[in-house]
Amino acid sequence: MTVQDAKLDSERADLLETLALHRHFLRHTARDLTDEQASRRTTVSALCLAGVIKHVSAQERGWVAFIQEGPSALGEFTDEANQARLADEFRLLPGETLAGVLAEYEETARRTDELVATLPDLSVDHPLPEAPWWEPGARWSARRALLHIIAETAQHAGHADIVREALDGAKTMA
């Protein structure tokens, strides 16, 4: 069943509509850019447009896996290999392109939207993995994880807008 085939309740429709809006803003920041431009850092941070989109896509995949599989899908946050992987999310690696990152993000979005449309219960929950930023024993429902994906996408769309404006003056949300 695809999202188009599903008869969505209002909550799921609202979640998908909000996520689609913020994804649009994020993707729009990369319009008409070369790989070199999309890899350029324009602020004191390590952020570049391609890296922000790559990171959001990876995080969305991770949270969807959490919904489906539980805390093991997110990995150990203190693990050095996981830290290196997270750092690599914020930049284009050799052989990666902006077009490839955008295509992967589109596929990630499709899979997430399908899960939202077909998950039997948004209240299903799992314990969060241990991390210093979560209360010990905390649990998140699928709904809460989806709200986190929306918040992360919106936050990073704002970051991307600033990076793009510093790059060439173009604005996404104005």
Side-chain angles (χ1 to χ4, degrees):
M1 174 188 299
T2 66
V3 174
Q4 292 80 15
D5 297 334
K7 193 167 194 176
L8 300 177
D9 61 40
S10 62
E11 178 183 21
R12 290 169 197 257
D14 286 348
L15 289 168
L16 290 175
E17 183 180 329
T18 303
L19 188 51
L21 174 68
H22 294 296
R23 285 179 183 143
H24 165 76
F25 285 140
L26 179 57
R27 284 191 307 263
H28 192 63
T29 62
R31 71 194 178 285
D32 304 323
L33 294 179
T34 66
D35 290 343
E36 188 277 324
Q37 289 170 312
S39 297
R40 193 177 307 151
R41 293 172 45 191
T42 62
T43 68
V44 296
S45 77
L47 299 179
C48 69
L49 288 173
V52 171
I53 296 167
K54 182 179 166 184
H55 168 73
V56 170
S57 182
Q59 291 302 304
E60 185 171 324
R61 282 190 307 277
W63 283 106
V64 165
F66 169 80
I67 291 168
Q68 295 172 312
E69 303 164 25
S72 63
L74 294 177
E76 295 294 325
F77 291 104
T78 56
D79 181 306
E80 283 186 34
N82 197 25
Q83 293 297 319
R85 181 190 54 77
L86 287 170
D88 283 345
E89 286 178 4
F90 282 103
R91 59 193 170 128
L92 283 184
L93 298 175
E96 293 179 330
T97 64
L98 176 59
V101 167
L102 288 168
E104 179 64 29
Y105 189 36
E106 186 174 328
E107 177 59 21
T108 296
R110 185 196 63 72
R111 281 186 254 137
T112 301
D113 291 355
E114 201 164 290
L115 175 69
V116 172
T118 61
L119 192 66
D121 183 1
L122 294 177
S123 297
V124 65
D125 68 352
H126 299 290
L128 291 170
E130 287 187 32
W133 47 86
W134 287 314
E135 186 176 318
R139 299 180 70 86
W140 275 14
S141 66
R143 179 182 296 103
R144 177 84 182 263
L146 291 166
L147 290 170
H148 180 75
I149 291 169
I150 291 168
E152 174 118 351
T153 304
Q155 178 181 18
H156 285 306
H159 294 149
D161 192 46
I162 291 168
V163 171
R164 178 62 191 257
E165 186 175 355
L167 179 66
D168 63 4
K171 295 180 182 180
T172 301
M173 296 185 224

